[in-house]
Amino acid sequence: MNLADKVLAVNNDLPIRTDLPVHSGKVRSVYWLTEKDSRRLIKERGYDVAENAPLAIMVISDRMSAFDCVWSGEGGMKGVPGKGAALNAISNHWFRLFREQGLADSHILDVPHPLVWIVQKAQPVMIEAICRQYITGSMWRAYSKGERDFCGIELPEGLEKDQKLPELLITPSTKGILEGIPGVPAVDDVNITRKNIEDNFEAFSFRSSEDIGRYEVLLKEGFDVISEALSKLDQVFVDTKFEFGYVTDASGQEKLIYMDEVGTPDSSRIWDGAMYRKGKVVENSKEGFRQTLLKHFADSDILLNKDRMDERLALARDNELPESVMMEVSGTYIDIAEKITGERLSLSENPKAEIIEVLKSEYGLID
């Protein structure tokens, strides 16, 4: 079996019982279970959710997304070996730490396979919150051009690229396009301020204004938990994205939870600590792949300029990356996952067959 066969590239064609269309994103596919199967699993497995809560199977792929495109490699490699398992293992680890330290639960109820989660349906808060501990990336590019106000936060003069910020910054943006909110343009991922949220908390799907403070506490405490754990591994936690939602537990109590993924190389920047102290940034996250792409193609503006999206999509479609590039990414993801979890990452020889078998024999979700 060659490398391409070990990659789960297509994850929306599994024969899981569902009455609804499969929802596929750039990396994950979601299969909403039938009401009968949801109720059965809740009862059989004792999940701490309302008895009528909708459940879903979430299957992560090994596809490699960057600059809003999916990239492939030579030899039919439609993804990166081990990437999906690494992302799931890392998120599982942080979510477990959050729960153990009394922060909040997540949407994950069960992990049948390294590439699969059973999740409960959550009502998402319509905010993507980026926590930043260092000035780099898009924030540095804006700062270097003279911008000082970021989501209503004024940064001081004299900061240098990749420098640690005076304090942890929360720079929220909209999750998708939200219309009819005063002062908030109806644009995807537009930056917003805390006052925008306070003045329109219901439009952002907060249940109450008090939950804004709760959300900020969970952001900062979650960031600190990950940052402290990574520092013990001599890794620098630079920035990350958090998402939240509401669910109802078995007792009927509604609660704010973490959702999506957290602290992964896809949603965060992680730097090697030893190299950073020497004045060099070595990325242990997707940012390293992004930088490789910028160097690989002669006209890097195609990747950075949103007005050239058609050219960018064609670039990703028509260019197979060298196998060495894909395997370097694989090594980065697997290595950081094994560092974080302290366990060897188990890679599937035939991931799709394994997933079908476990969901059929142990969960009764495949006929």
Side-chain angles (χ1 to χ4, degrees):
M1 184 173 285
N2 62 32
L3 282 172
D5 294 328
K6 297 181 181 181
V7 170
L8 183 62
V10 179
N11 58 343
N12 63 353
D13 61 350
L14 294 165
I16 299 168
R17 274 196 305 276
T18 179
D19 295 331
L20 298 171
V22 179
H23 173 74
S24 285
K26 290 188 179 70
V27 175
R28 298 181 188 271
S29 286
V30 179
Y31 300 74
W32 289 106
L33 300 183
T34 65
E35 181 180 354
K36 182 178 178 181
D37 280 330
S38 290
R39 286 179 176 270
R40 174 178 60 82
L41 286 182
I42 291 168
K43 185 176 181 180
E44 289 177 357
R45 300 275 167 169
Y47 298 144
D48 184 20
V49 299
E51 63 180 15
N52 62 344
L55 305 187
I57 300 295
M58 188 175 286
V59 183
I60 193 168
S61 72
D62 293 314
R63 293 191 295 272
M64 193 66 202
S65 170
F67 297 110
D68 295 319
C69 297
V70 175
W71 303 85
S72 58
E74 296 171 338
M77 290 182 68
K78 301 300 183 183
V80 171
K83 176 179 178 281
L87 293 179
N88 271 8
I90 292 169
S91 283
N92 294 342
H93 181 81
W94 297 136
F95 285 140
R96 184 170 60 252
L97 277 187
F98 292 170
R99 188 169 58 252
E100 289 172 354
Q101 297 192 26
L103 275 64
D105 288 331
S106 75
H107 61 324
I108 302 170
L109 301 174
D110 209 342
V111 185
H113 181 275
L115 296 174
V116 178
W117 288 339
I118 295 180
V119 301
Q120 59 181 313
K121 187 174 186 178
Q123 174 63 48
V125 173
M126 302 306 290
I127 293 172
E128 292 188 352
I130 307 295
C131 287
R132 304 176 187 270
Q133 194 164 226
Y134 291 77
I135 183 166
T136 191
S138 61
M139 177 178 273
W140 169 253
R141 288 192 293 272
Y143 184 91
S144 66
K145 294 175 182 176
E147 190 172 334
R148 295 294 179 267
D149 184 283
F150 294 87
C151 300
I153 303 166
E154 190 75 18
L155 290 189
E157 298 292 336
L159 296 180
E160 297 181 359
K161 186 176 184 291
D162 302 330
Q163 176 184 338
K164 189 170 186 177
L165 291 162
E167 60 181 342
L168 182 67
L169 297 187
I170 298 174
T171 54
S173 61
T174 58
K175 181 178 172 66
I177 299 172
L178 303 181
E179 298 182 345
I181 303 179
V184 177
V187 179
D188 191 20
D189 294 336
V190 66
N191 285 347
I192 53 177
T193 66
R194 193 184 197 282
K195 190 171 190 316
N196 290 145
I197 301 171
E198 288 174 340
D199 291 346
N200 307 278
F201 68 88
E202 290 178 320
F204 291 105
S205 297
F206 279 111
R207 296 292 189 259
S208 67
S209 58
E210 289 78 15
D211 279 352
I212 300 170
R214 171 68 175 154
Y215 136 92
E216 290 179 330
V217 167
L218 291 177
L219 283 174
K220 292 175 181 177
E221 290 185 351
F223 191 97
D224 288 345
V225 165
I226 298 174
S227 184
E228 182 178 345
L230 285 177
S231 69
K232 294 176 181 176
L233 303 172
D234 204 10
Q235 301 292 308
V236 179
F237 198 36
V238 179
D239 54 39
T240 197
K241 178 187 74 171
F242 285 97
E243 294 189 40
F244 295 91
Y246 288 92
V247 297
T248 303
D249 64 21
S251 68
Q253 181 70 36
E254 189 176 59
K255 57 188 181 182
L256 190 63
I257 61 161
Y258 296 98
M259 58 181 291
D260 196 45
E261 61 179 284
V262 66
T264 72
D266 269 14
S267 65
S268 317
R269 281 188 180 87
I270 302 169
W271 293 341
D272 180 84
M275 296 305 292
Y276 180 72
R277 289 191 296 275
K278 294 178 181 178
K280 183 177 181 181
V281 167
V282 173
E283 298 278 358
N284 285 325
S285 54
K286 186 197 284 188
E287 186 59 27
F289 178 66
R290 288 166 55 92
Q291 294 302 320
T292 296
L293 290 176
L294 290 172
K295 295 172 185 174
H296 185 74
F297 295 105
D299 187 1
S300 60
D301 182 67
I302 293 176
L303 298 175
L304 298 173
N305 189 340
K306 290 187 176 181
D307 292 334
R308 302 180 71 179
M309 197 64 209
D310 288 344
E311 293 174 83
R312 191 188 306 177
L313 291 169
L315 199 68
R317 183 189 65 235
D318 299 336
N319 288 274
E320 291 185 336
L321 300 172
E323 181 182 301
S324 59
V325 169
M326 304 298 276
M327 294 312 296
E328 182 179 356
V329 176
S330 175
T332 296
Y333 277 65
I334 292 172
D335 181 62
I336 195 65
E338 293 182 343
K339 276 189 171 74
I340 288 170
T341 64
E343 298 176 0
R344 185 170 177 79
L345 195 69
S346 177
L347 301 185
S348 302
E349 288 295 320
N350 190 333
K352 187 167 290 185
E354 290 179 12
I355 292 169
I356 290 172
E357 173 58 28
V358 72
L359 292 182
K360 181 176 183 177
S361 62
E362 296 185 29
Y363 291 82
L365 296 172
I366 293 176
D367 295 325

